[in-house]
Amino acid sequence: MTPLVYVLEEQVRDLLSQMGDVHLLDGVAYGFDDWTVFHAYTGKPSSTPAGFTCPCVATRSDATGFIDEEKLMEQVRGHIDPDGRPIVVLVAGTDTRGSPSCRALILTGKGVAGADTRFVPRRSELFTRNTGLLEVSALADKKVVIVGLGSGGSPIALELARAGIGHFTLMDFDRLELGNISRHVCGVNDLGRYKTLAVRDQMLQKNPYADVSTLEINVNQSLSQVEDAVAACDLLIVASDNDQSRFNLNQISLNNNKVALYGRAITRAAGGDVLRVRPWKGPCYNCVFSSGLIDGREEEMSQKRQALAVLPAYIEEGKINTMIQVGLSSDIAPIANMMVKMALVELSRGIETGMSTVDEDLASDFYVWANRREEAYANWPRMGFKWTHPSILRWYGARIDRDPDCLVCGGHLEETPAT
Ligand SMILES: [Zn+2]
């Protein structure tokens, strides 16, 4: 087959907009399937792609469309790798309508072969299939902070990148371990990496134009950095695995008047819950989780660090390991999915979109989900054919009001915070 080369349209436009002489630039390409498919970059790519690397040189034709191909090949030929890796040569130009175009050539020890090129389109065209349900151009300007990039936070980050959200700050100080792989969006290729950076790379695969910054911090120890990021965001998403971080983030979201979404799985992911905090308009995290209303819903323990936080120091290793009881990735997925829907509703607020009716439905601030009839749901009836009784695999919105005596948000029961 004729080799196929994918190029970011934005990079070709950049190349064409540069003034002055034509220079060969140091790019890199990634080859797949016996060097028949290439992803070529005119410079260092923003994420870490897969494939075998090979050199890529990029240049542009002059104003008349001319390129001295022979001279170019002569310059490149000296760089042919003795182990047989090809060199991808990109020649940027414009077509008869003045639109950017790009030719690609594959140079190996055996000679030069032409290749078909395809553009990875610009941002505006990448998400055209989302229009109607989402206001793509408005979402590209939105900024989301996500705390916790584990099995709950990582799929949320990826989904929001898919939806075309433009700006993200990811916070987590954990690295990807073998035990995480079965429930995480990242795989064995990312073992040992910070979850933030590995997830960022996955997000950039879905939206190469997303602006994703990362903070490898313990939010409980870096509150001023968290405060700065939250102050600048449109929505805070909390998928961390400890109460202290959620209480801290609750205070910070209230201080900055930012809507926050909290999600968690209960023991062995038998179910989970999602809380939306609209500062001063609904219950805050403390109103709900200090009320006793949801006692008996113990959080899932999926990390050794969580077990160590609640166990005495002298406990033996075996006991720690028996406390770590995780559910399946498919048990976490509904909770992450609900948080994505609620995030898109919040980020689309004030814009007429297909999400508007979902907003009308999500009248509650607190939702409960059950995966299996165990733990908090042990006494629930079987699902059967009725829909008039509680059952697994359905969402339930609970009416929980602000607590006038809440130690965090009580005392300002007016619509806006007291100053
Ligand atoms: Zn409160």
Side-chain angles (χ1 to χ4, degrees):
M1 78 176 253
T2 308
L4 188 54
V5 178
Y6 281 88
V7 190
L8 292 175
E9 183 180 345
E10 207 82 352
Q11 293 196 334
V12 172
R13 284 176 183 271
D14 282 349
L15 199 61
L16 292 171
S17 69
Q18 286 165 22
M19 304 299 285
D21 293 338
V22 173
H23 291 292
L24 294 180
L25 299 174
D26 288 331
V28 61
Y30 297 82
F32 301 86
D33 307 338
D34 290 333
W35 305 114
T36 53
V37 176
F38 296 86
H39 294 178
Y41 298 85
T42 58
K44 187 171 172 284
S46 55
S47 62
T48 311
F52 293 98
T53 56
C54 64
C56 168
V57 293
T59 185
R60 59 187 158 88
S61 55
D62 69 13
T64 64
F66 174 76
I67 174 102
D68 188 342
E69 226 165 83
E70 224 163 83
K71 189 175 156 209
L72 174 69
M73 286 306 165
E74 219 35 65
Q75 287 173 288
V76 171
R77 208 177 290 278
H79 299 283
I80 287 189
D81 198 310
D83 69 9
R85 285 188 311 163
I87 297 176
V88 177
V89 180
L90 300 177
V91 182
T94 45
D95 65 15
T96 50
R97 289 168 301 171
S99 301
S101 67
C102 187
R103 283 189 294 144
L105 301 163
I106 310 297
L107 186 64
T108 63
K110 294 178 194 158
V112 182
D116 290 334
T117 50
R118 300 266 194 284
F119 276 148
V120 177
R122 290 187 295 168
R123 180 204 300 260
S124 54
E125 290 147 38
L126 203 56
F127 297 102
T128 45
R129 290 191 177 180
N130 287 351
T131 51
L133 270 181
L134 298 171
E135 185 54 60
V136 178
S137 57
L139 291 181
D141 293 331
K142 298 291 183 182
K143 183 160 196 167
V144 177
V145 171
I146 304 178
V147 181
L149 278 302
S151 54
S154 63
I156 295 171
L158 210 54
E159 278 302 321
L160 293 180
R162 280 182 172 129
I165 307 296
H167 305 269
F168 295 87
T169 302
L170 310 181
M171 296 183 197
D172 200 321
F173 64 100
D174 268 345
R175 291 175 182 273
L176 201 69
E177 293 172 14
L178 204 55
N180 304 135
I181 298 296
S182 64
R183 306 203 308 168
H184 201 271
V185 298
C186 296
V188 287
N189 283 355
D190 290 312
L191 279 173
R193 299 184 67 198
Y194 278 118
K195 289 176 180 174
T196 47
L197 299 177
V199 171
R200 179 202 61 186
D201 283 357
Q202 296 279 331
M203 294 165 76
L204 292 175
Q205 291 288 305
K206 293 295 174 191
N207 179 1
Y209 308 113
D211 149 43
V212 186
S213 58
T214 68
L215 288 170
E216 290 69 42
I217 55 170
N218 179 339
V219 295
N220 297 322
Q221 291 164 9
S222 309
L223 293 175
S224 68
Q225 270 179 286
V226 179
E227 183 109 32
D228 289 347
V230 171
C233 81
D234 295 292
L235 179 68
L236 170 63
I237 294 180
V238 184
S240 59
D241 61 10
N242 65 89
D243 254 342
Q244 193 191 350
S245 64
R246 290 184 288 244
F247 280 110
N248 280 329
L249 290 159
N250 182 50
Q251 187 65 63
I252 289 171
S253 88
L254 293 174
N255 292 350
N256 291 281
N257 209 24
K258 302 291 182 183
V259 176
L261 301 176
Y262 298 82
R264 55 171 208 155
I266 65 167
T267 306
R268 289 215 303 151
D273 44 56
V274 175
L275 170 68
R276 170 179 59 191
V277 173
R278 297 169 298 142
W280 322 107
K281 292 177 181 163
C284 81
Y285 187 82
N286 187 64
C287 291
V288 177
F289 284 86
S290 299
S291 64
L293 288 171
I294 51 166
D295 283 357
R297 295 176 62 79
E298 291 292 326
E299 183 168 355
E300 182 197 58
M301 201 159 286
S302 60
Q303 302 261 15
K304 196 168 172 182
R305 179 166 41 77
Q306 285 171 287
L308 291 174
V310 296
L311 288 170
Y314 52 82
I315 211 86
E316 72 264 25
E317 187 83 8
K319 171 78 175 158
I320 296 171
N321 290 333
T322 58
M323 287 195 66
I324 302 172
Q325 296 194 334
V326 301
L328 301 172
S329 169
S330 56
D331 293 332
I332 307 295
I335 303 159
N337 192 42
M338 182 64 158
M339 291 179 78
V340 170
K341 304 262 185 207
M342 292 175 81
L344 292 176
V345 164
E346 289 306 317
L347 294 167
S348 303
R349 198 172 288 289
I351 311 162
E352 194 54 45
T353 68
M355 298 303 285
S356 304
T357 66
V358 182
D359 187 19
E360 290 165 15
D361 284 291
L362 295 175
S364 168
D365 288 311
F366 186 68
Y367 294 89
V368 168
W369 171 268
N371 283 311
R372 295 183 301 280
R373 286 182 298 112
E374 58 182 64
E375 302 292 335
Y377 317 109
N379 297 322
W380 281 21
R382 292 181 190 183
M383 179 196 270
F385 302 98
K386 291 185 180 173
W387 55 84
T388 50
H389 58 229
S391 89
I392 62 164
L393 306 181
R394 290 176 190 155
W395 280 107
Y396 294 93
R399 185 183 292 277
I400 299 184
D401 294 321
R402 280 178 72 185
D403 174 5
D405 299 321
C406 171
L407 293 173
V408 179
C409 77
H412 321 268
L413 278 177
E414 61 274 22
E415 280 285 290
T416 50
T419 49

